[in-house]
Amino acid sequence: MRSIMEKICDILSLVIEILLLILKILYYICENIYRVIIPRKKKSVTGEIVLITGAGHGIGKELAIGYALLGATVVCWDINKETNNETMSDIKKMGIDSVYAYRCDVADREEVFRIAEKVKKEVGDVTILVNNAGIGFSKSFLNHNPDEITRLTNINLLAHYWTLKAFLPSMIEKNYGHIVALSSIVGLIGAPYGTIYCPSKFAVKGLMEAISEELRTLSNGKSSIKFTTIYPALVLTGIVKKPKLRFPWFGSYKPRKVASLIIDAQRRNYENKSLPWFWLPIMKIGRLLPEKAIKCILDFIDSGVYPED
């Protein structure tokens, strides 16, 4: 049997461990407050190879232009070959030649792997991956047909797995890279007429948290690969046909502004960023409230989408 002294030592060791944990928590809280007041310095993206899915229009196109203007080599992926080539052409008209366009259906696993190999051979190893491609339907659950459910899930969620499978290994090998994924404000809280869209964005959040933590664990905290998840409010890209906003200042953006904020978040190594910034802390605090209180707040805000059906 263990002696009393051994048991006392174990208890004291645990108490010291808990006290150290509390000190670390307090330190990181202070660090976070400090970073709100004084943001991290932006890192350079000059010379990086940035691959953007859904680059043919909207946020994706503005991201491609933004990164190109900052000196990165930009790789545009989109299922629409014509609009994707237009993005490349618009960038080249600015006098920038380090831009490439590939037609790719990110929902097609084999096509993602095939085009990814082509990118590696023709451009090089991707160092910044921006999983931007996404679609949405504003319908009541019973009016969604099975094909819509499958298509949305394939593009909004499964495509992230295929691009990660394609590009993450080289990042791990070099211990260098950055993954950016677009979730949504409704990836933090469910909304009417978003029974397919909201879960896909919730899942993106979960995927990014899990893969980031997995790499941290497997590398014993030595992984230098960064992860940034973005949670935008309403973006005027045309996906939402009938927006419902009682207070427009709560979040309504044009694609160019959103792209600028995403690039800023990536360059500052933010792990999570909501647009507007205040939604993420509000959601975290709100989770402490009773469910009925949360519903009262949602009724007051009275924002979302009107159904298309």
Side-chain angles (χ1 to χ4, degrees), residues 23-97:
L23 287 174
K24 286 180 181 179
I25 291 170
L26 291 173
Y27 171 80
Y28 289 122
I29 289 173
C30 293
E31 182 186 54
N32 201 56
I33 294 170
Y34 173 78
R35 287 303 180 188
V36 170
I37 300 169
I38 303 176
R40 296 182 183 94
K41 184 179 178 181
K42 296 180 186 180
K43 62 184 179 182
S44 172
V45 293
T46 301
E48 302 282 3
I49 298 178
V50 184
L51 188 145
I52 301 158
T53 65
H57 68 286
I59 299 171
K61 180 171 184 173
E62 297 298 338
L63 284 168
I65 293 171
Y67 276 112
L69 289 172
L70 289 169
T73 294
V74 175
V75 180
C76 303
W77 274 19
D78 202 284
I79 193 172
N80 188 319
K81 183 177 180 179
E82 182 179 351
T83 58
N84 202 39
N85 285 337
E86 284 177 5
T87 297
M88 179 177 66
S89 178
D90 288 346
I91 292 172
K92 287 190 172 183
K93 287 176 183 177
M94 299 173 184
I96 301 170
D97 293 323

Side-chain angles (χ1 to χ4, degrees), residues 137 139-142 144 149 152 191-200:
F137 305 108
K139 292 185 177 182
S140 58
F141 175 72
L142 295 180
H144 272 292
I149 295 172
L152 188 147
Y193 314 115
T195 50
I196 315 303
Y197 184 79
C198 293
S200 73

Side-chain angles (χ1 to χ4, degrees), residues 183-190 197-203 205 231:
S183 179
S184 171
I185 290 297
V186 294
L188 299 169
I189 187 167
Y197 184 79
C198 293
S200 73
K201 294 302 184 178
F202 267 88
K205 177 181 183 293
Y231 306 89

Side-chain angles (χ1 to χ4, degrees), residues 221-240:
K222 296 179 181 178
S223 175
S224 295
I225 299 169
K226 306 299 182 184
F227 293 85
T228 298
T229 309
I230 306 293
Y231 306 89
L234 175 65
V235 185
L236 305 174
T237 60
I239 288 181
V240 176

Side-chain angles (χ1 to χ4, degrees), residues 10 21 32 37 42 47 112 121 126 206 220 237 240 245 250 277:
D10 286 345
L21 175 61
N32 201 56
I37 300 169
K42 296 180 186 180
V112 168
K121 290 177 182 177
V126 169
N220 293 317
T237 60
V240 176
L245 288 173
F250 267 23
W277 68 269

Side-chain angles (χ1 to χ4, degrees), residues 107-286:
D108 185 329
R109 179 182 60 190
E110 296 306 320
E111 186 168 324
V112 168
F113 295 160
R114 179 171 57 83
I115 302 300
E117 283 301 316
K118 194 174 181 182
V119 169
K120 290 175 188 178
K121 290 177 182 177
E122 297 179 359
V123 186
D125 287 325
V126 169
T127 57
I128 301 175
L129 169 64
V130 185
N131 278 317
N132 161 75
I135 60 173
F137 305 108
S138 302
K139 292 185 177 182
S140 58
F141 175 72
L142 295 180
N143 284 336
H144 272 292
N145 65 58
D147 288 340
E148 287 174 338
I149 295 172
T150 301
R151 182 171 168 238
L152 188 147
T153 304
N154 284 343
I155 294 172
N156 288 15
L157 174 59
L158 291 183
H160 289 247
Y161 285 94
W162 312 146
T163 56
L164 284 170
K165 281 284 190 182
F167 298 112
L168 188 56
S170 66
M171 294 184 184
I172 293 174
E173 183 181 348
K174 296 177 181 179
N175 195 25
Y176 182 84
H178 203 133
I179 307 293
V180 181
L182 267 71
S183 179
S184 171
I185 290 297
V186 294
L188 299 169
I189 187 167
Y193 314 115
T195 50
I196 315 303
Y197 184 79
C198 293
S200 73
K201 294 302 184 178
F202 267 88
V204 168
K205 177 181 183 293
L207 170 60
M208 290 289 282
E209 289 180 358
I211 193 70
S212 174
E213 185 60 17
E214 182 172 289
L215 285 189
R216 188 181 74 86
T217 301
L218 291 175
S219 68
N220 293 317
K222 296 179 181 178
S223 175
S224 295
I225 299 169
K226 306 299 182 184
F227 293 85
T228 298
T229 309
I230 306 293
Y231 306 89
L234 175 65
V235 185
L236 305 174
T237 60
I239 288 181
V240 176
K241 302 296 189 297
K242 299 178 180 179
K244 179 185 181 184
L245 288 173
R246 182 182 181 187
F247 307 108
W249 50 272
F250 267 23
S252 176
Y253 291 99
K254 291 184 178 179
R256 181 172 297 179
K257 180 62 176 177
V258 170
S260 173
L261 293 171
I262 291 170
I263 293 171
D264 181 83
Q266 180 269 316
R267 293 181 66 196
R268 295 187 192 274
N269 287 334
Y270 289 134
E271 292 182 24
N272 295 281
K273 184 74 173 180
S274 62
L275 308 176
W277 68 269
F278 53 75
W279 274 121
L280 201 56
I282 284 176
M283 292 294 183
K284 289 179 179 179
I285 295 169

